[in-house]
Amino acid sequence: DSLQMRMANLTQELKRFARPGESRIEKIDLRDSVREAEKLVRSRFAETGVCLTLDLPDVPLEAETAPLRIEQILVNLLRNGADAAAGEDRGAVTLQAAASEGQVVLSIADNGPGIPDDLRERIFDPFFSTKVSSGGMGLGLAISIRLAEDLGGSLSVGSNTPKGAVFELRLPAPAADLAGAIPKQNSGAAE
């Protein structure tokens, strides 16, 4: 249908806006991307009075990915978290990062009003926004999920307890580490 075609074209256009080099894949420590994103959203957290907590491992969290893309996604998710929790008495957003089963998982949880089940599928649609008069275009999540998928990862949302939402960004861990975990087959050929 034509609306979906228009959306697809728009997404392509938006991706083209991204500067070349932004999607360069390199081996990075994701903790650096998190700290970079945190710097970029610090003022939003100061404005909203929401408390941001980073829960990062003590060891490098390696991923083979595009650092600027990751920062783009994290900035989107952290800003959304700040906006969602802004109305709470003690607004809080927590970003947790951990390696799990060949993946790196970054979760961003807020204690805002949460996302009703019936809207959960739709929040990643372009132009869909639950923010009232935020002035935003509702493109943040639509772009974020596409960037995540382009990087071989995924972006999903669930409920936080006792209230709020948790966004989970999963990225593949570096292949070299996985290869090391698989015993080499002895083919019998002289090496």
Side-chain angles (χ1 to χ4, degrees), residues 158-178:
S159 297
N160 194 8
T161 42
K163 61 180 296 214
V166 184
F167 284 87
E168 201 171 72
L169 172 63
R170 289 178 171 268
L171 298 164
D177 300 356
L178 294 177

Side-chain angles (χ1 to χ4, degrees), residues 23-160:
S23 44
R24 202 175 57 238
I25 303 284
E26 47 192 288
K27 199 168 188 173
I28 58 163
D29 180 351
L30 278 170
R31 297 178 307 170
D32 297 337
S33 302
V34 169
R35 292 188 187 107
E36 222 28 66
E38 187 267 337
K39 279 184 209 152
L40 295 169
V41 297
R42 207 173 277 162
S43 63
R44 177 75 65 103
F45 278 84
E47 279 164 34
T48 54
V50 173
C51 170
L52 174 60
T53 307
L54 300 183
D55 181 359
L56 302 176
D58 300 330
V59 292
L61 201 55
E62 288 191 338
E64 232 164 287
T65 192
L68 291 164
R69 296 279 192 217
I70 297 300
E71 283 164 33
Q72 228 177 327
I73 297 171
L74 292 176
V75 163
N76 267 324
L77 295 177
L78 288 168
R79 277 196 188 135
N80 284 351
D83 293 347
E88 304 301 317
D89 281 347
R90 287 201 177 88
V93 174
T94 304
L95 186 156
Q96 269 185 318
S100 154
E101 296 159 16
Q103 289 187 315
V104 180
V105 183
L106 297 167
S107 68
I108 292 160
D110 67 67
N111 65 346
I115 296 155
D117 287 348
D118 55 328
L119 296 183
R120 208 160 278 170
E121 291 301 304
R122 291 181 56 202
I123 60 166
F124 294 106
D125 294 347
F127 305 119
F128 182 79
S129 179
T130 57
K131 296 180 198 173
V132 188
S133 73
S134 66
M137 283 179 69
L139 284 172
L141 286 174
I143 292 173
S144 295
I145 195 167
R146 280 163 184 78
L147 290 178
E149 287 167 357
D150 283 352
L151 295 170
S154 64
L155 180 61
S156 58
V157 66
S159 297
N160 194 8

